Amino acid sequence: MDADGVHLARRTTGGGAVFHSLGNTNFTLVSSRPDYDKEANNQIICGAMGSFGLDAAPSGRNDILIDGKKVSGQAYRLGPAAALQHGTLMLDVDIEQLPRYLTPSKAKLAAKGIASVRSRVANLKDFAPGITHDAICDAVTSRFFETHAGKVAGTCTDVPIEHISPEALAASDPRLRALYLSMESWDWRFGHSPDFSHELEHKFDWGLVTIHLDVVGGRVCRARVFSDALVPAVVDELEMSLQPDRNDPLHYSGVDLAASVLRAAEKAPEDVAAMLVDAAEFLVAAI
């Protein structure tokens, strides 16, 4: 992801990972907790798609399907006073990219009777070629007003639509800016990950290498390297380069790990350096 310039964000709601691009439209529905109605919210979204002649229906806990294909995934957060329901609308996403960044468990795919993430999803443009981001936004807005017209003062046409930018939100309340900064931080995105171990194995031209990483709080706390390489020094140098430094924590990231290995390569003999460069390229691709 780092190598491809794909940014990783972490949300406060549940559910699995999603892939965002300009071919994907997002929606968020917020209400007081007593007024929260998941079924009504689903009907707003499905009804909006229905205005384009699409027969969309909720499925399972958080999917919306058309002809058995997932076109929307949703997640939720319910607090004591307020409720949030948000989700995706896949308009024109490059589906070929999805397997590169999304790897749902094989058990989850098997439970749904499908072979891969690509075979499970579809774009709205596959069913309504003329649909656009602006058009689906207008349809969701109209459906929202139709659903809630009787719950607000006056008629639905009396309720103004306010277009809000991230900059305007931040200016309106400094707490929003502070929240934004905290949620884009490395500690929020990775630091709360459960502790785990990861073993990577790769056959290079110069030997088979196995790298075992123990990760705590999103940082590598221990590394072991095993290899049948005929140049034992590469094993020692690679293992040393992957050890944590008390003053410079080694984040569990392909780019960070590779950078540490490349720093070791700069000081290593030419033959060992070439092998370390190979290992660094593998780490970027593997993590």
Side-chain angles (χ1 to χ4, degrees):
M1 290 174 64
D2 288 336
D4 290 346
V6 177
H7 183 71
L8 179 66
R10 179 181 175 221
R11 61 180 189 264
T12 60
T13 52
V18 296
F19 177 72
H20 291 302
S21 71
L22 293 179
N24 184 54
T25 295
N26 301 310
F27 63 87
T28 303
L29 299 166
V30 181
S31 70
S32 67
R33 181 63 185 271
D35 290 331
Y36 175 66
D37 188 334
K38 177 182 176 181
E39 185 173 331
N41 287 343
N42 284 340
Q43 290 309 312
I44 289 172
I45 304 303
C46 291
M49 289 186 271
S51 65
F52 298 92
L54 304 177
D55 185 15
S59 175
R61 293 181 301 169
N62 52 13
D63 293 348
I64 294 178
L65 309 184
I66 296 177
D67 291 347
K69 298 282 189 176
K70 179 177 178 178
V71 296
S72 172
Q74 302 183 81
Y76 318 87
R77 184 171 183 182
L78 305 179
L84 177 150
Q85 180 173 336
H86 62 179
T88 61
L89 289 169
M90 294 177 59
L91 266 69
D92 193 18
V93 175
D94 184 352
I95 292 178
E96 295 300 315
Q97 285 187 306
L98 298 185
R100 182 169 175 81
Y101 308 115
L102 301 179
T103 53
S105 70
K106 294 180 180 179
K108 183 175 182 179
L109 293 175
K112 296 179 179 290
I114 53 179
S116 69
V117 66
R118 278 181 298 182
S119 66
R120 184 188 175 201
V121 300
N123 284 310
L124 293 179
K125 281 197 171 184
D126 295 336
F127 306 100
I131 198 169
T132 65
H133 168 77
D134 288 340
I136 192 65
C137 288
D138 289 343
V140 170
T141 301
S142 296
R143 192 71 180 191
F144 176 87
F145 281 143
E146 291 172 10
T147 301
H148 295 289
K151 302 177 184 178
V152 297
T155 65
C156 61
T157 55
D158 295 328
V159 180
I161 298 176
E162 182 179 0
H163 295 277
I164 302 174
S165 68
E167 294 76 17
L169 271 179
S172 67
D173 190 335
R175 293 174 298 178
L176 292 173
R177 177 62 179 171
L179 178 62
Y180 177 91
L181 291 175
S182 69
M183 294 191 70
E184 74 166 359
S185 69
W186 185 93
D187 280 339
W188 164 251
R189 292 185 296 144
F190 298 103
H192 296 276
S193 300
D195 302 343
F196 64 94
S197 296
H198 188 183
E199 187 169 282
L200 304 104
E201 188 173 79
H202 188 73
K203 180 68 171 69
F204 297 96
D205 291 340
W206 41 267
L208 178 67
V209 173
T210 301
I211 302 172
H212 183 94
L213 302 172
D214 291 332
V215 182
V216 175
R219 295 175 172 87
V220 175
C221 67
R222 182 171 180 264
R224 294 296 310 276
V225 176
F226 308 92
S227 176
D228 62 0
L230 297 178
V231 183
V234 72
V235 179
D236 297 334
E237 291 289 347
L238 181 55
E239 184 169 295
M240 284 293 295
S241 70
L242 295 174
Q243 297 304 324
D245 185 319
R246 182 176 299 177
N247 299 317
D248 185 18
L250 187 55
H251 294 155
Y252 178 73
S253 146
V255 170
D256 283 2
L257 294 174
S260 184
V261 174
L262 290 175
R263 285 194 292 271
E266 293 174 356
K267 305 173 184 177
E270 186 175 345
D271 57 341
V272 175
M275 297 176 188
L276 291 174
V277 170
D278 288 344
E281 293 175 349
F282 165 67
L283 288 168
V284 170
I287 300 179

